[in-house]
């Protein structure tokens, strides 16, 4: 049996009419535990990509039983509209990317360290409240959502705050927001996420979306034409000042470069050498 939710659950409450209230039965629910999302579901998705500063629309199909995820993404950037299909199959350790305009299909290897992890509310998050999403009139204009929050969870040298709205009975995700910060408090754009889901169906409506096109080839590893290598003095300075930040990701590394900009310039580091140090792609 499949349940459909015709909701437009947006994390920005100013764009939707959302009435938040503590329900009469909330006292009985105050110790509600974090939960895992349903094993299989299909939904429309609207996400904000903090790294590219773009809103992305599309569809997501989640198949936890077979450890795979399908996403169709539409976005508009400086170079015009883009449409991609991404299929992640963790049992094969592969991520397939299909350009909907050219129909070109390539794949990358999912690192062994990036293991499958079922989606859900983090086990150490806290149940905050119940909310009514929609207008609390009649029986079909609103749904009850549980709100879970995880504040300033430590992740390496940084931190992460997680907020999720899930349906009360099924723990189906409605909206998810992750705000990651570096050690010095800057927002980590690579690891932050806002995702809103609507028109969800429990189950997989079309299993064929996971079929990979024939002739899919391994993606090349692109990179800019390398300039002259950095000097030994520059390399030593980069390692001394920013090696720990680099291990936390590109955002942390670039934050470190900014903090040590004057010293790196004295060491003879060029902008290209610094960029290649943090992100050699």
């Amino acid at each position: 049996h499949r349940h459909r939710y015709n909701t437009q659950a947006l994390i920005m409450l100013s764009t939707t009419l959302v009435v938040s209230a503590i329900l009469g039965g909330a006292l009985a629910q105050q110790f509600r535990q974090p939960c895992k999302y349903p094993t299989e579901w299909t939904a429309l998705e609207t996400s904000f990509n903090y790294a590219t500063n773009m809103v992305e629309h599309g569809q997501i199909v989640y198949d936890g039983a077979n450890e795979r995820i399908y996403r169709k993404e539409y976005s508009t950037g400086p170079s015009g509209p883009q449409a991609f299909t991404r299929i992640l199959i963790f049992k094969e350790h592969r991520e397939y990317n299909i350009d909907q305009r050219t129909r070109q299909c390539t794949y990358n290897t999912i690192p062994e360290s990036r293991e499958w992890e079922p989606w859900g509310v983090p086990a150490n998050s806290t149940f905050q409240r119940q909310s009514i999403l929609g207008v609390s009139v009649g029986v079909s204009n609103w749904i009850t959502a549980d709100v879970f929050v995880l504040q300033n969870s430590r992740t390496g040298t940084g931190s992460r705050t997680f907020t999720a709205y899930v349906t009360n009975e099924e723990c189906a995700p409605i909206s998810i927001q992750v705000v990651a910060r570096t050690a010095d408090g800057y927002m980590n754009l690579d690891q932050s996420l806002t995702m809103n889901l609507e028109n969800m169906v429990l189950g997989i409506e079309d299993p064929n979306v996971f079929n990979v096109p024939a002739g899919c080839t391994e993606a090349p590893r692109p990179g800019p034409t390398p300039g002259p290598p950095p000097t030994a003095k520059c390399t030593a300075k980069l390692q001394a000042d920013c090696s720990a930040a680099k291990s936390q990701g590109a955002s942390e590394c670039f934050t470190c470069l900014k903090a040590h900009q004057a010293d790196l310039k004295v060491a003879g580091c060029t902008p290209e050498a610094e960029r290649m140090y943090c992100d050699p792609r």
Side-chain angles (χ1 to χ4, degrees):
H1 180 65
R2 292 176 174 174
H3 305 272
R4 182 179 296 274
Y5 299 96
N6 292 317
T7 65
Q8 294 181 340
L10 304 177
I11 202 71
M12 302 300 294
L13 302 186
S14 61
T15 60
T16 54
L17 180 57
V18 178
V19 180
S20 296
I22 303 298
L23 301 183
L27 292 176
Q29 298 284 347
Q30 61 180 316
F31 299 113
R32 189 167 177 80
Q33 298 299 310
C35 52
K36 293 297 183 184
Y37 303 151
T39 305
E40 297 179 346
W41 47 270
T42 303
L44 298 180
E45 169 194 2
T46 301
S47 297
F48 183 73
N49 188 323
Y50 289 89
T52 62
N53 198 34
M54 291 195 304
V55 175
E56 300 171 348
H57 304 273
Q59 181 190 41
I60 183 167
V61 182
Y62 177 85
D63 183 0
N66 294 298
E67 300 182 2
R68 56 187 185 174
I69 299 170
Y70 166 93
R71 298 182 71 175
K72 181 174 283 188
E73 305 169 3
Y74 301 93
S75 62
T76 302
S79 58
Q82 296 180 333
F84 285 92
T85 295
R86 307 187 193 281
I87 304 173
L88 288 82
I89 303 180
F90 280 79
K91 289 183 177 180
E92 297 179 5
H93 298 287
R94 283 191 176 181
E95 176 182 347
Y96 297 91
N97 295 279
I98 306 161
D99 188 323
Q100 292 297 321
R101 183 175 58 86
T102 65
R103 302 305 301 171
Q104 181 181 11
C105 176
T106 58
Y107 67 85
N108 298 295
T109 300
I110 299 176
E112 294 284 347
S113 58
R114 187 183 168 192
E115 297 180 353
W116 169 262
E117 184 176 349
W119 286 15
V121 177
N124 56 340
S125 61
T126 301
F127 173 69
Q128 189 181 73
R129 67 185 186 278
Q130 283 189 335
S131 289
I132 295 174
L133 303 184
V135 182
S136 56
V137 177
V139 295
S140 61
N141 295 328
W142 57 275
I143 61 172
T144 303
D146 292 335
V147 184
F148 289 90
V149 176
L150 176 61
Q151 292 281 3
N152 298 322
S153 173
R154 301 301 300 177
T155 55
T157 61
S159 64
R160 186 174 301 175
T161 296
F162 171 92
T163 304
Y165 285 66
V166 299
T167 58
N168 175 253
E169 294 183 5
E170 298 85 358
C171 191
I174 300 171
S175 69
I176 305 163
Q177 185 179 56
V178 178
V179 178
R181 296 197 178 278
T182 61
D184 51 5
Y186 290 100
M187 189 173 184
N188 187 327
L189 303 181
D190 295 331
Q191 298 181 15
S192 296
L193 166 73
T194 295
M195 177 189 294
N196 305 296
L197 300 165
E198 58 187 273
N199 293 355
M200 178 175 287
V201 172
L202 298 185
I204 298 175
E205 292 189 308
D206 181 11
N208 292 326
V209 297
F210 292 104
N211 294 340
V212 177
C216 204
T217 60
E218 185 172 9
R221 299 182 179 180
T225 302
T231 64
K233 186 177 180 181
C234 171
T235 300
K237 189 62 176 172
L238 286 168
Q239 283 292 107
D241 290 347
C242 296
S243 60
K246 182 180 179 180
S247 67
Q248 299 299 320
S251 290
E252 292 271 6
C253 187
F254 282 116
T255 299
C256 178
L257 294 181
K258 185 177 180 180
H260 295 86
Q261 188 174 22
D263 292 339
L264 292 171
K265 186 175 181 180
V266 171
C269 293
T270 64
E272 180 182 4
E274 294 175 5
R275 181 185 61 77
M276 288 294 293
Y277 177 77
C278 286
D279 188 4
R281 292 175 295 178

